[in-house]
Amino acid sequence: MALEHAILVSLLEQPGSGYELARRFERSIGYFWTATHQQIYRVLKRMENDGWVASREVSQHGRPDKKEYSVADLGHAALSSWLHEPIEPESVRHDLAVKIRGAAFDDPAGLVREVERHRRAHTDRLTHYLAGEERDFPPVPDDGTPPDAERELQHVVLRGGVAYERMMIAWLDDVLATLRRF
Amino acid sequence: MALEHAILVSLLEQPGSGYELARRFERSIGYFWTATHQQIYRVLKRMENDGWVASREVSQHGRPDKKEYSVADLGHAALSSWLHEPIEPESVRHDLAVKIRGAAFDDPAGLVREVERHRRAHTDRLTHYLAGEERDFPPVPDDGTPPDAERELQHVVLRGGVAYERMMIAWLDDVLATLRRF
DNA sequence: CCTTGCTATGCAACTGGTTGCATAGCAAGA
DNA sequence: TCTTGCTATGCAACCAGTTGCATAGCAAGG
């Protein structure tokens, strides 16, 4: 399970409430790890019981109070030991691939609109990633100052998202060309 | 849920027992949808109760008997209606991306060996895909005969796997270069 | 004042998926 | 004969994740 660890990373980058975490999981972290707010609240509670995170009540102006969480020593240690474990070869789940192979026994041409819809979703996400990259990672001249690990690593993960979306768009074009031959 | 549908597609391509399905889910179908044998047996039982599949006992020489499943009309209809639903924008889960961002708060260089391990797993899988492609999809001259949908669609899904592995390898090289700057 | 809508937190029930364990047929080899 | 190993099927317990629902503070606008 890596939700705990994703939360730890997110809280290390920036402490925040369950609600704020849920919003981050709709963007940023959420590009490669999804979670709903119910899940986040439940896991945060468990993590607090385990001493991985600590919370404090924060009053806000014009809004309900929030509970701001930050990473405790035990949490930092737990993250560290997880980082040093080898494991997890990742398992893939691709509904669309199942659909494409299934289309052979139904109506191949009928899948075109569905694939086009997916293609649009991926181009949208690519556009979004590229805008984020331009905003958050403008090119800096190498003036000899040491690189910032947090920033560089966030950037390389984002580049992974960009590469993934580009690959998917190219493949979906291949799929569309194939479907249109029937 | 698409496990039912993945099983239907697999049984349409070739009827088989739960055990045989489990083996297919370790290759072929398993490249984009994973399932353990327990899960497959449980779901097959439910599908049989629902009339989606039918089974018959098959005696084998030198082996225990098996129950061979094939798709019933209701199952074919269920698959068809699923294929015509729009839905599912796919959610991603990338442990490695979490680890990479987390490494900023631990030991970036310590992640190199882990990333190299993943890179090796992906090159292995790519080699495996390419061997399968050469074996199952040799180039055929276009002699005007109509293309075989089942075959062409299996091929385009496999090309997706190849594209994915190539993208991952290139990205992991990017990650390694980034990690090595610290 | 009342509705709408966003912030903020949470419970309960369910479903899908994983893990550990168990059983049994049969073949091959020590 | 006994062990090892592959084929073949399955139960039970657990855990992670989803869905539906509920509550409450506060602001803005009709």
Side-chain angles (χ1 to χ4, degrees):
Chain A
M1 227 267 289
L3 177 55
E4 275 102 336
H5 304 111
I7 288 175
L8 287 172
V9 170
S10 193
L11 289 179
L12 281 169
E13 289 177 355
Q14 176 77 45
S17 69
Y19 189 83
E20 284 162 352
L21 282 170
R23 314 220 59 184
R24 289 183 213 169
F25 274 81
E26 286 167 9
R27 35 172 212 87
S28 183
I29 290 272
Y31 299 151
F32 48 87
W33 201 273
T34 59
T36 58
H37 79 270
Q38 290 86 346
Q39 212 184 329
I40 290 167
Y41 283 121
R42 199 201 304 152
V43 171
L44 273 176
K45 187 160 287 183
R46 188 173 67 229
M47 289 168 78
E48 193 173 18
N49 283 337
D50 293 348
W52 288 22
V53 296
S55 68
R56 60 188 192 96
E57 287 283 330
V58 176
S59 302
Q60 299 183 105
H61 39 290
R63 293 181 183 186
D65 295 355
K66 66 173 181 180
K67 269 167 80 177
E68 193 183 79
Y69 290 90
S70 51
V71 178
D73 289 349
L74 271 174
H76 208 298
L79 180 66
S80 179
S81 88
W82 177 69
L83 288 172
H84 287 279
E85 275 171 32
I87 48 158
E88 31 74 63
E90 73 172 306
S91 60
V92 193
R93 293 279 162 99
H94 256 295
D95 300 69
L96 196 55
V98 177
K99 278 202 175 191
I100 291 165
R101 274 174 74 151
F105 307 96
D106 199 65
D107 169 24
L111 209 63
V112 166
R113 297 187 70 83
E114 172 80 339
V115 174
E116 283 171 342
R117 227 171 37 81
H118 280 257
R119 191 189 186 285
R120 230 171 296 128
H122 286 285
T123 53
D124 287 351
R125 218 183 296 175
L126 176 59
T127 304
H128 186 218
Y129 285 2
L130 290 175
E133 187 175 26
E134 209 170 316
R135 186 185 64 241
D136 299 330
F137 304 101
V140 279
D142 186 358
D143 57 358
T145 53
D148 173 3
E150 186 177 337
R151 184 188 154 73
E152 291 292 319
L153 292 174
Q154 282 184 12
H155 192 183
V156 79
V157 168
L158 181 57
R159 288 200 297 275
V162 168
Y164 178 76
E165 299 306 329
R166 288 198 166 125
M167 181 277 296
M168 282 299 289
I169 292 164
W171 177 61
L172 290 175
D173 284 337
D174 185 6
V175 171
L176 284 169
T178 305
L179 286 175
R180 286 187 173 120
R181 280 206 289 277
F182 302 109
Chain B
M1 224 267 289
L3 176 55
E4 276 102 336
H5 305 112
I7 288 176
L8 287 172
V9 171
S10 193
L11 288 179
L12 281 169
E13 290 177 356
Q14 176 77 46
S17 68
Y19 189 82
E20 284 161 351
L21 281 171
R23 314 221 60 186
R24 288 182 213 169
F25 274 79
E26 286 167 9
R27 36 173 211 86
S28 184
I29 290 273
Y31 298 151
F32 48 88
W33 201 273
T34 60
T36 59
H37 79 270
Q38 290 85 347
Q39 212 185 328
I40 290 166
Y41 283 122
R42 200 202 303 153
V43 171
L44 274 176
K45 188 161 286 184
R46 187 173 69 227
M47 289 169 80
E48 193 173 17
N49 283 336
D50 293 347
W52 288 21
V53 296
S55 69
R56 60 188 191 98
E57 287 283 329
V58 175
S59 302
Q60 298 183 106
H61 39 290
R63 292 182 185 186
D65 294 355
K66 66 173 181 180
K67 270 168 79 177
E68 194 184 78
Y69 290 89
S70 51
V71 177
D73 289 348
L74 272 174
H76 209 300
L79 180 65
S80 179
S81 88
W82 177 69
L83 287 173
H84 287 278
E85 275 170 32
I87 49 155
E88 29 77 60
E90 74 172 304
S91 60
V92 193
R93 292 280 162 99
H94 257 295
D95 300 69
L96 196 56
V98 178
K99 277 200 174 191
I100 291 164
R101 274 173 74 151
F105 307 96
D106 199 68
D107 169 24
L111 209 63
V112 167
R113 297 187 70 83
E114 172 79 337
V115 175
E116 284 171 342
R117 227 171 38 80
H118 280 256
R119 191 190 186 284
R120 230 172 296 127
H122 285 285
T123 54
D124 287 352
R125 219 183 295 174
L126 176 60
T127 304
H128 186 217
Y129 285 2
L130 291 174
E133 187 174 27
E134 209 170 318
R135 185 184 65 241
D136 299 330
F137 304 100
V140 279
D142 186 357
D143 57 358
T145 54
D148 174 2
E150 184 177 336
R151 185 188 154 74
E152 291 293 318
L153 292 174
Q154 281 183 12
H155 192 184
V156 79
V157 168
L158 180 58
R159 288 201 297 275
V162 168
Y164 177 75
E165 299 306 328
R166 287 198 166 124
M167 181 278 294
M168 282 298 290
I169 292 164
W171 177 60
L172 290 175
D173 284 337
D174 186 5
V175 171
L176 285 169
T178 305
L179 285 174
R180 285 187 175 120
R181 279 205 289 275
F182 303 107

